[in-house]
Protein backbone atom coordinates (compact mmCIF):
# COMPACT_ATOMS: atom_id res chain seq x y z
CA UNK A 1 0.00 0.00 0.00
CA UNK A 2 1.33 3.37 -0.89
CA UNK A 3 1.53 5.81 1.97
CA UNK A 4 -0.37 8.43 0.04
CA UNK A 5 -3.40 6.19 -0.29
CA UNK A 6 -6.28 7.55 1.67
CA UNK A 7 -6.70 5.03 4.46
CA UNK A 8 -10.24 6.01 5.25
CA UNK A 9 -11.26 5.92 1.61
CA UNK A 10 -9.95 2.38 1.14
CA UNK A 11 -11.71 1.22 4.26
CA UNK A 12 -14.91 3.05 3.38
CA UNK A 13 -15.04 1.30 0.02
CA UNK A 14 -14.35 -2.01 1.72
CA UNK A 15 -17.16 -1.35 4.21
CA UNK A 16 -19.54 -0.50 1.37
CA UNK A 17 -18.82 -3.95 -0.06
CA UNK A 18 -19.49 -5.39 3.39
CA UNK A 19 -22.90 -3.73 3.37
CA UNK A 20 -23.63 -5.64 0.17
CA UNK A 21 -22.51 -8.86 1.87
CA UNK A 22 -24.78 -8.08 4.81
CA UNK A 23 -27.73 -7.54 2.49
CA UNK A 24 -27.37 -11.07 1.18
CA UNK A 25 -26.78 -12.63 4.59
CA UNK A 26 -29.10 -14.85 6.56
CA UNK A 27 -29.07 -14.45 10.30
CA UNK A 28 -31.30 -16.61 12.42
CA UNK A 29 -32.15 -16.45 16.07
CA UNK A 30 -33.14 -19.47 18.07
CA UNK A 31 -34.14 -19.47 21.70
CA UNK A 32 -33.59 -22.06 24.37
CA UNK A 33 -36.50 -22.28 26.76
CA UNK A 34 -34.66 -23.20 29.90
CA UNK A 35 -35.62 -22.34 33.45
CA UNK A 36 -34.46 -18.80 34.03
CA UNK A 37 -32.26 -19.27 37.06
CA UNK A 38 -30.54 -22.04 38.99
CA UNK A 39 -32.99 -21.47 41.83
CA UNK A 40 -35.89 -22.08 39.49
CA UNK A 41 -34.12 -25.20 38.23
CA UNK A 42 -33.81 -26.54 41.77
CA UNK A 43 -37.44 -25.77 42.55
CA UNK A 44 -38.52 -27.42 39.34
CA UNK A 45 -36.50 -30.58 40.05
CA UNK A 46 -37.68 -30.72 43.66
CA UNK A 47 -41.31 -30.36 42.60
CA UNK A 48 -40.91 -33.17 40.07
CA UNK A 49 -39.30 -35.48 42.64
CA UNK A 50 -42.05 -34.75 45.14
CA UNK A 51 -44.77 -35.37 42.56
CA UNK A 52 -43.24 -38.70 41.55
CA UNK A 53 -42.85 -39.74 45.18
CA UNK A 54 -46.40 -38.83 46.17
CA UNK A 55 -47.84 -40.44 43.05
CA UNK A 56 -45.91 -43.64 43.59
CA UNK A 57 -46.79 -43.74 47.28
CA UNK A 58 -50.48 -43.27 46.59
CA UNK A 59 -50.41 -45.95 43.94
CA UNK A 60 -48.69 -48.36 46.32
CA UNK A 61 -51.12 -47.71 49.15
CA UNK A 62 -54.28 -47.94 47.10
CA UNK A 63 -56.28 -51.10 47.33
CA UNK A 64 -58.08 -52.65 44.37
CA UNK A 65 -61.85 -52.45 44.41
CA UNK A 66 -64.16 -55.15 43.12
CA UNK A 67 -64.82 -53.16 39.93
CA UNK A 68 -61.12 -53.26 39.11
CA UNK A 69 -60.45 -49.59 39.92
CA UNK A 70 -58.14 -48.33 42.64
CA UNK A 71 -59.22 -46.11 45.51
CA UNK A 72 -57.29 -44.43 48.30
CA UNK A 73 -57.41 -46.27 51.54
CA UNK A 74 -57.11 -43.78 54.38
CA UNK A 75 -56.26 -46.48 56.83
CA UNK A 76 -52.99 -46.88 54.95
CA UNK A 77 -51.98 -43.28 55.64
CA UNK A 78 -48.99 -44.16 57.78
CA UNK A 79 -47.82 -46.63 55.15
CA UNK A 80 -48.21 -43.94 52.52
CA UNK A 81 -46.06 -41.49 54.49
CA UNK A 82 -43.45 -44.18 54.99
CA UNK A 83 -43.50 -45.02 51.30
CA UNK A 84 -43.16 -41.32 50.38
CA UNK A 85 -40.12 -41.04 52.64
CA UNK A 86 -38.54 -44.17 51.23
CA UNK A 87 -39.12 -43.18 47.63
CA UNK A 88 -37.93 -39.63 48.24
CA UNK A 89 -34.77 -40.89 49.88
CA UNK A 90 -34.08 -43.36 47.10
CA UNK A 91 -34.53 -40.64 44.45
CA UNK A 92 -32.44 -38.05 46.27
CA UNK B 1 -38.43 -31.11 32.07
CA UNK B 2 -35.93 -29.17 30.00
CA UNK B 3 -37.40 -28.31 26.64
CA UNK B 4 -35.74 -26.88 23.61
CA UNK B 5 -38.04 -24.86 21.43
CA UNK B 6 -36.71 -23.21 18.34
CA UNK B 7 -38.67 -20.40 16.85
CA UNK B 8 -37.90 -17.28 14.96
CA UNK B 9 -38.13 -13.98 16.77
CA UNK B 10 -39.27 -11.56 14.16
CA UNK B 11 -38.51 -8.26 15.87
CA UNK B 12 -35.05 -9.28 17.00
CA UNK B 13 -34.33 -10.79 13.62
CA UNK B 14 -35.34 -7.62 11.83
CA UNK B 15 -33.10 -5.58 14.16
CA UNK B 16 -30.17 -7.88 13.40
CA UNK B 17 -30.95 -8.02 9.70
CA UNK B 18 -30.90 -4.25 9.46
CA UNK B 19 -27.58 -3.95 11.26
CA UNK B 20 -25.74 -7.08 10.13
CA UNK B 21 -23.39 -4.85 8.15
CA UNK B 22 -22.27 -2.98 11.26
CA UNK B 23 -21.75 -6.21 13.18
CA UNK B 24 -19.67 -7.67 10.34
CA UNK B 25 -17.58 -4.49 10.14
CA UNK B 26 -16.89 -4.45 13.87
CA UNK B 27 -15.95 -8.14 13.69
CA UNK B 28 -13.55 -7.35 10.85
CA UNK B 29 -12.06 -4.47 12.87
CA UNK B 30 -11.55 -6.44 16.07
CA UNK B 31 -10.74 -10.02 15.14
CA UNK B 32 -6.99 -10.11 14.50
CA UNK B 33 -6.05 -10.69 10.88
CA UNK B 34 -3.43 -13.25 10.00
CA UNK B 35 -1.36 -13.42 6.84
CA UNK B 36 -4.02 -15.66 5.42
CA UNK B 37 -7.32 -16.21 7.09
CA UNK B 38 -7.44 -19.33 9.11
CA UNK B 39 -10.13 -21.55 10.54
CA UNK B 40 -9.44 -19.82 13.85
CA UNK B 41 -10.17 -16.39 12.32
CA UNK B 42 -13.46 -17.64 11.00
CA UNK B 43 -14.43 -19.16 14.34
CA UNK B 44 -13.55 -15.95 16.15
CA UNK B 45 -15.64 -13.91 13.72
CA UNK B 46 -18.55 -16.29 14.23
CA UNK B 47 -18.18 -16.07 18.05
CA UNK B 48 -17.85 -12.31 18.13
CA UNK B 49 -20.79 -11.94 15.74
CA UNK B 50 -22.88 -14.03 18.10
CA UNK B 51 -21.80 -12.14 21.22
CA UNK B 52 -22.55 -8.78 19.64
CA UNK B 53 -25.90 -9.99 18.34
CA UNK B 54 -26.88 -11.40 21.74
CA UNK B 55 -25.95 -8.18 23.47
CA UNK B 56 -27.99 -6.22 20.97
CA UNK B 57 -30.99 -8.48 21.54
CA UNK B 58 -30.71 -8.09 25.30
CA UNK B 59 -30.07 -4.36 25.30
CA UNK B 60 -32.72 -3.58 22.69
CA UNK B 61 -35.59 -3.15 25.20
CA UNK B 62 -33.53 -0.50 27.03
CA UNK B 63 -32.80 1.54 23.91
CA UNK B 64 -34.69 4.83 24.29
CA UNK B 65 -33.57 6.59 21.16
CA UNK B 66 -30.98 8.82 22.85
CA UNK B 67 -28.94 8.53 19.67
CA UNK B 68 -29.52 7.07 16.23
CA UNK B 69 -30.10 3.35 16.11
CA UNK B 70 -26.95 2.72 14.10
CA UNK B 71 -24.83 4.68 16.60
CA UNK B 72 -26.31 2.58 19.39
CA UNK B 73 -25.44 -0.60 17.46
CA UNK B 74 -21.86 0.64 16.93
CA UNK B 75 -21.59 1.46 20.61
CA UNK B 76 -22.84 -1.92 21.84
CA UNK B 77 -20.78 -3.78 19.23
CA UNK B 78 -17.51 -2.03 20.03
CA UNK B 79 -18.09 -2.44 23.77
CA UNK B 80 -18.56 -6.16 23.31
CA UNK B 81 -15.52 -6.41 21.05
CA UNK B 82 -13.32 -4.49 23.49
CA UNK B 83 -14.46 -6.29 26.60
CA UNK B 84 -14.33 -9.61 24.78
CA UNK B 85 -17.40 -10.79 26.63
CA UNK B 86 -17.95 -14.49 26.85
CA UNK B 87 -21.07 -16.18 28.04
CA UNK B 88 -21.29 -19.51 29.72
CA UNK B 89 -25.01 -19.80 29.43
CA UNK B 90 -27.38 -18.09 27.13
CA UNK B 91 -30.98 -18.50 26.26
CA UNK B 92 -30.52 -17.49 22.66
CA UNK B 93 -28.31 -18.53 19.82
CA UNK B 94 -27.65 -16.35 16.82
CA UNK B 95 -26.48 -18.04 13.69
CA UNK B 96 -24.92 -16.36 10.71
CA UNK B 97 -24.86 -18.37 7.50
CA UNK B 98 -21.64 -19.86 6.17
CA UNK B 99 -22.00 -18.13 2.80
CA UNK B 100 -21.78 -14.73 4.54
CA UNK B 101 -18.62 -15.81 6.34
CA UNK B 102 -17.19 -17.02 3.01
CA UNK B 103 -17.90 -13.67 1.39
CA UNK B 104 -16.51 -11.77 4.39
CA UNK B 105 -13.36 -13.87 4.25
CA UNK B 106 -12.94 -13.27 0.53
CA UNK B 107 -13.54 -9.56 0.93
CA UNK B 108 -11.09 -9.20 3.83
CA UNK B 109 -8.50 -11.27 1.98
CA UNK B 110 -8.01 -8.50 -0.54
CA UNK B 111 -4.33 -7.61 -0.27
CA UNK B 112 -4.74 -3.89 0.43
CA UNK B 113 -7.57 -4.42 2.85
CA UNK B 114 -5.71 -7.15 4.71
CA UNK B 115 -2.62 -4.98 5.07
CA UNK B 116 -4.77 -2.19 6.42
CA UNK B 117 -6.40 -4.49 8.91
CA UNK B 118 -3.01 -5.74 10.01
CA UNK B 119 -2.09 -2.14 10.77
CA UNK B 120 -5.40 -1.65 12.59
CA UNK B 121 -4.58 -4.73 14.67
CA UNK B 122 -1.69 -2.73 16.13
CA UNK B 123 -3.85 0.19 17.27
CA UNK B 124 -4.90 0.39 20.91
CA UNK B 125 -8.53 -0.02 21.94
CA UNK B 126 -9.37 3.68 21.87
CA UNK B 127 -7.78 4.24 18.48
CA UNK B 128 -9.51 1.23 16.99
CA UNK B 129 -12.83 2.35 18.44
CA UNK B 130 -12.33 5.81 16.95
CA UNK B 131 -11.50 4.38 13.54
CA UNK B 132 -14.57 2.17 13.68
CA UNK B 133 -16.79 5.19 14.34
CA UNK B 134 -14.97 7.30 11.74
CA UNK B 135 -15.33 4.77 8.94
CA UNK B 136 -18.89 4.06 10.06
CA UNK B 137 -19.63 7.79 9.80
CA UNK B 138 -21.02 7.97 13.31
CA UNK B 139 -21.78 11.68 13.99
CA UNK B 140 -18.97 13.40 15.86
CA UNK B 141 -21.30 14.63 18.57
CA UNK B 142 -22.42 11.08 19.32
CA UNK B 143 -18.86 9.74 19.28
CA UNK B 144 -17.92 12.46 21.78
CA UNK B 145 -20.78 11.42 24.02
CA UNK B 146 -19.91 7.72 23.80
CA UNK B 147 -16.26 8.31 24.57
CA UNK B 148 -16.76 11.03 27.15
CA UNK B 149 -14.65 13.60 25.28
CA UNK B 150 -15.26 16.90 23.54
CA UNK B 151 -15.93 17.00 19.82
CA UNK B 152 -12.65 18.85 19.28
CA UNK B 153 -10.74 16.18 21.17
CA UNK B 154 -12.39 13.46 19.10
CA UNK B 155 -11.61 15.29 15.86
CA UNK B 156 -7.98 15.69 16.92
CA UNK B 157 -7.62 12.04 17.98
CA UNK B 158 -9.25 10.80 14.79
CA UNK B 159 -6.82 12.82 12.73
CA UNK B 160 -3.88 11.56 14.78
CA UNK B 161 -5.00 7.93 14.46
CA UNK B 162 -5.47 8.31 10.73
CA UNK B 163 -1.94 9.73 10.44
CA UNK B 164 -0.59 6.92 12.57
CA UNK B 165 -2.22 4.35 10.30
CA UNK B 166 -0.97 6.08 7.19
CA UNK B 167 2.61 6.27 8.44
CA UNK B 168 2.69 2.83 9.98
CA UNK B 169 5.00 0.37 8.31
CA UNK B 170 3.61 -2.99 7.38
CA UNK B 171 4.79 -5.47 10.00
CA UNK B 172 6.93 -7.47 7.60
CA UNK B 173 8.82 -4.27 6.70
CA UNK B 174 9.94 -3.80 10.30
Amino acid sequence: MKNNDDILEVLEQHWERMDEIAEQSHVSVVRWHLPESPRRWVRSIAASVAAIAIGAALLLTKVPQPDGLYASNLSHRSEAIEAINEISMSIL
Amino acid sequence: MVKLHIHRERSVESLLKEHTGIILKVCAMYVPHGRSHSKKWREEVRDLFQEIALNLCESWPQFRGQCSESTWVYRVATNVAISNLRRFATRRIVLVDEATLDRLEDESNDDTVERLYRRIDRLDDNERQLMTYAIGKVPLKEVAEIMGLTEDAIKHRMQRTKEKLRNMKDDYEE
Side-chain angles (χ1 to χ4, degrees):
Chain A
M1 185 181 359
K2 289 172 189 167
N3 277 347
N4 59 3
D5 280 349
D6 190 326
I7 302 277
L8 279 185
E9 202 175 298
V10 173
L11 280 173
E12 275 170 13
Q13 286 166 3
H14 162 62
W15 279 30
E16 277 168 21
R17 294 193 293 274
M18 291 230 272
D19 279 332
E20 288 164 21
I21 292 172
E23 274 171 28
Q24 298 168 46
S25 69
H26 297 284
V27 176
S28 46
V29 181
V30 295
R31 177 188 270 187
W32 294 74
H33 280 250
L34 296 172
E36 283 178 359
S37 68
R39 190 181 295 171
R40 200 168 148 189
W41 259 80
V42 171
R43 277 209 304 269
S44 163
I45 292 168
S48 303
V49 169
I52 293 167
I54 291 167
L58 288 175
L59 189 64
L60 289 173
T61 58
K62 279 175 181 175
V63 291
Q65 301 297 294
D67 57 6
L69 298 174
Y70 285 76
S72 293
N73 185 340
L74 292 179
S75 70
H76 285 71
R77 192 175 169 189
S78 60
E79 286 176 32
I81 292 169
E82 202 176 312
I84 288 171
N85 284 339
E86 276 180 27
I87 293 167
S88 302
M89 290 304 289
S90 67
I91 293 173
L92 295 172
Chain B
M1 187 185 305
V2 177
K3 291 188 291 182
L4 170 66
H5 290 294
I6 296 178
H7 69 86
R8 290 182 179 276
E9 297 188 324
R10 292 183 189 281
S11 59
V12 167
E13 274 201 333
S14 66
L15 170 78
L16 294 179
K17 178 67 192 165
E18 196 173 335
H19 299 293
T20 295
I22 296 177
I23 306 176
L24 289 176
K25 291 165 192 170
V26 173
C27 288
M29 286 293 276
Y30 282 87
V31 174
H33 289 251
R35 173 61 55 198
S36 57
H37 289 164
S38 60
K39 193 180 168 192
K40 187 168 177 274
W41 182 86
R42 198 181 170 100
E43 278 170 10
E44 284 187 27
V45 168
R46 193 188 284 117
D47 284 354
L48 183 57
F49 187 98
Q50 159 139 323
E51 294 303 331
I52 293 171
L54 289 170
N55 271 270
L56 289 171
C57 295
E58 285 180 8
S59 313
W60 176 237
Q62 278 85 51
F63 177 61
R64 297 279 177 268
Q66 310 89 322
C67 55
S68 71
E69 199 174 284
S70 59
T71 300
W72 173 77
V73 173
Y74 270 114
R75 182 180 193 163
V76 172
T78 51
N79 282 343
V80 172
I82 291 167
S83 57
N84 199 23
L85 293 175
R86 287 285 177 269
R87 282 150 200 272
F88 295 101
T90 180
R91 298 180 67 224
R92 285 196 184 100
I93 302 171
V94 179
L95 305 166
V96 59
D97 62 312
E98 292 299 312
T100 298
L101 292 174
D102 286 341
R103 287 192 284 268
L104 181 67
E105 197 169 1
D106 290 345
E107 171 58 36
S108 305
N109 259 335
D110 173 271
D111 192 45
T112 310
V113 168
E114 188 176 340
R115 286 161 73 179
L116 255 175
Y117 274 130
R118 286 169 66 82
R119 291 184 185 190
I120 289 169
D121 286 347
R122 289 184 281 155
L123 296 178
D124 67 28
D125 282 345
N126 279 335
E127 291 168 336
R128 200 187 304 216
Q129 195 175 6
L130 274 173
M131 286 306 293
T132 306
Y133 296 148
I135 309 161
K137 296 188 169 68
V138 177
L140 214 56
K141 190 181 168 192
E142 293 179 351
V143 178
E145 209 174 297
I146 292 171
M147 301 194 74
L149 294 166
T150 63
E151 287 183 46
D152 280 344
I154 292 292
K155 218 184 287 181
H156 176 69
R157 288 187 185 200
M158 274 184 178
Q159 193 55 37
R160 206 173 53 192
T161 306
K162 195 177 158 187
E163 287 302 318
K164 184 175 173 179
L165 268 181
R166 180 178 285 134
N167 298 326
M168 206 182 264
K169 286 181 178 176
D170 288 319
D171 44 12
Y172 58 83
E173 292 171 3
E174 292 169 337

